[in-house]
Amino acid sequence: MRRLPTRKLRAYVALAALCSLAGLAAGRPQLVALAAPLAAYVVVGLALTRAPRLAVEPSLARTTVLEGETLELTVAVTAAAGVELVELELRTGPGVLIASSSTQWSARLGGGERGEARFELAVPRWGVHPLGSLAVRALDQFGLIAYELQPISLRSVRAFPRRETLRRLLAPLELQATIGSRTARERGEGIEFAENRPFLPGDRLRRINWRVTARRGVPYVSERHPERNADVILFLDTFAEVGGEGGQGTLALAVRATTALASEYLARKDRVGVVAFGGMLVGVLPRLGLAQLYRIIDALLGSEVVFSYAHKDVSSVPRRLLPPKALVIGISPLLDDRYVGALLDLRGRGFDLTVVEVSPEPFVAPGRGRGEAVAHRLWLLQREALRARLGQLGVAVASWRDDEPLQLPIATAAELKRRQRRPIAA
């Protein structure tokens, strides 16, 4: 706790000294008598002043929000003894904005009295953001000394990516053997009707279709399609990013798309995992359920582009993160050759691969000069050639921009997959 003189103390001391010196110099005892009460107030005030005993308790109604939402910070201040003035100043951390009209609050509190300050905060971007700190300043009952308390650090808030509504998803080519909500192509125990066929030795009696049997005169059984689920791996690119204003960029859009896809696939009872492939490797094993969604979001909140010269390929990803027959959805701006090489490696291994390209083009200006314009055009042609190369290898690539709904590239990729010949597994 720091003790600092206030302007009141400085003014009283200056007036008392000035009046005393003027009275002595001019021989006017009236001026000295005028300075006496000021000097006495300062002496008595400094002798009786005590450090304020304050209890400052900040609290948040919630610690998780969606990006762009606001939350309220409440600070309760209780004074054990009377305080002339209590001042609070909120100093926000990076990534947190003030939505209220002021960042300061002040009040006069009596002994045992309680006051409350309320601040509205906004979190415009997903991630884990420290809210900042509170600076507390209090004046003694005489207003002569200001006490600055140790700044109070506020807890962090978790901002989840904004949800995207998806009505159609990419269908996997291969399903797993576990029960889910997808209709498999093979025959077995299930609900979806496939066909009727004559009874064969070994068929269960409960599978006999008695109506067809009565009409044909010989036993017939009903074949059905079993319900299975799929393994979906969201392959996030964290090698490179192109950013715009307000913290928006290709990585922010990629994380939003990853969250939306994970939520929708998990709602369809598929097993979903995430691999953040970049300077640092982050992986979440494919699992089911709502808890898995929060595991994925927790992993994505710490996603960032880490600069690295290291050469990486898919062999650096643990095999358990890439289960066989999994649908792999790459989410990338397609800017780093190492990530593109990883996509080619996955395709060569026979994985069912689709790429959602988070387009960096809206964040890259063509430039003013003729040379810059030509370079920008060549860069666009190079990207078009890369998409064509992936398409020739059987990889559906759909581009997504921030001003478009995520459903558009998903539907485009689904249509491209439908047109392509089914790949032969390696």
Side-chain angles (χ1 to χ4, degrees):
M1 181 182 296
R2 296 173 55 193
R3 290 166 51 101
L4 300 174
T6 63
R7 288 183 294 180
K8 182 178 180 180
L9 175 60
R10 294 192 184 98
Y12 276 29
V13 171
L15 286 174
L18 181 62
C19 291
S20 299
L21 293 175
L24 293 174
R28 295 289 185 90
Q30 298 89 342
L31 294 177
V32 177
L34 180 62
L38 300 176
Y41 183 87
V42 170
V43 172
V44 173
L46 293 177
L48 297 180
T49 186
R50 296 291 183 272
R53 291 178 294 169
L54 298 174
V56 182
E57 301 175 357
S59 62
L60 289 170
R62 51 181 178 160
T63 57
T64 57
V65 296
L66 290 176
E67 58 177 347
E69 288 187 342
T70 60
L71 69 157
E72 185 178 69
L73 171 65
T74 303
V75 184
V77 183
T78 306
V83 181
E84 178 69 20
L85 183 67
V86 178
E87 296 179 344
L88 299 180
E89 182 180 0
L90 177 61
R91 300 167 182 172
T92 58
V96 180
L97 303 178
I98 294 292
S100 54
S101 58
S102 176
T103 61
Q104 296 180 342
W105 175 87
S106 59
R108 181 175 183 177
L109 300 178
E113 190 175 352
R114 174 189 173 98
E116 278 192 353
R118 299 180 184 274
F119 302 98
E120 290 288 334
L121 306 176
V123 185
R125 189 179 185 273
W126 57 266
V128 180
H129 303 283
L131 290 182
S133 61
L134 273 173
V136 184
R137 185 172 180 267
L139 303 182
D140 68 339
Q141 60 269 33
F142 296 97
L144 300 178
I145 300 296
Y147 295 86
E148 289 187 355
L149 280 66
Q150 190 73 17
I152 300 174
S153 297
L154 303 174
R155 63 189 305 178
S156 299
V157 64
R158 305 164 68 84
F160 291 170
R162 190 171 68 248
R163 290 284 302 274
E164 295 277 349
T165 302
L166 298 176
R167 297 183 179 180
R168 182 184 179 186
L169 295 174
L170 297 169
L173 292 178
E174 300 287 345
L175 299 179
Q176 304 298 324
T178 52
I179 297 176
S181 59
R182 297 182 180 275
T183 302
R185 288 189 293 268
E186 60 267 16
R187 312 294 170 80
E189 296 293 334
I191 300 176
E192 189 73 21
F193 175 78
E195 65 174 357
N196 292 319
R197 64 168 177 80
F199 181 86
L200 297 175
D203 288 337
R204 296 183 179 183
L205 294 179
R206 65 179 183 179
R207 297 177 62 183
I208 295 178
N209 189 321
W210 295 106
R211 291 185 178 180
V212 178
T213 298
R215 188 167 61 250
R216 298 288 181 91
V218 293
Y220 266 74
V221 296
S222 294
E223 290 280 8
R224 299 188 181 277
H225 295 291
E227 286 73 37
R228 298 286 186 258
N229 69 355
D231 283 349
V232 181
I233 302 299
L234 303 175
F235 197 55
L236 178 65
D237 180 6
T238 57
F239 274 116
E241 177 186 18
V242 177
E245 298 180 357
Q248 288 296 328
T250 55
L251 181 60
L253 297 177
V255 170
R256 187 191 306 170
T258 304
T259 304
L261 289 170
S263 176
E264 295 297 334
Y265 276 110
L266 286 171
R268 287 162 171 77
K269 300 181 181 180
D270 292 325
R271 297 200 320 160
V272 180
V274 169
V275 176
F277 192 63
M280 294 182 60
L281 179 65
V282 178
V284 180
L285 291 174
R287 293 178 182 172
L288 295 166
L290 182 61
Q292 176 70 354
L293 176 61
Y294 289 104
R295 293 189 196 100
I296 291 173
I297 292 177
D298 287 340
L300 292 177
L301 290 183
S303 298
E304 59 180 348
V305 173
V306 178
F307 182 75
S308 173
Y309 281 115
H311 175 73
K312 289 190 175 182
D313 53 25
V314 180
S315 62
S316 62
V317 180
R319 290 187 177 182
R320 57 181 181 170
L321 292 176
L322 296 171
K325 300 191 297 184
L327 168 63
V328 180
I329 302 177
I331 304 172
S332 166
L334 297 179
L335 293 171
D336 196 283
D337 292 338
R338 290 169 292 183
Y339 185 85
V340 175
L343 293 178
L344 298 177
D345 195 353
L346 287 173
R347 186 67 192 91
R349 295 185 182 190
F351 278 96
D352 179 13
L353 179 61
T354 302
V355 176
V356 176
E357 178 202 4
V358 182
S359 178
E361 297 173 12
F363 304 103
V364 180
R368 298 181 179 180
R370 182 177 180 181
E372 293 178 346
V374 172
H376 185 265
R377 179 59 180 164
L378 290 175
W379 177 67
L380 295 179
L381 291 175
Q382 182 182 14
R383 295 186 58 81
E384 187 66 30
L386 175 59
R387 287 191 288 266
R389 179 188 177 191
L390 292 173
Q392 290 174 355
L393 295 175
V395 180
V397 181
S399 183
W400 178 47
R401 296 171 178 259
D402 187 22
D403 56 353
E404 300 173 346
L406 182 58
Q407 183 64 82
L408 180 60
I410 297 300
T412 303
E415 181 63 22
L416 290 175
K417 286 188 64 176
R418 189 184 67 83
R419 295 178 182 178
Q420 290 171 352
R421 180 172 58 88
R422 179 178 176 179
I424 300 175

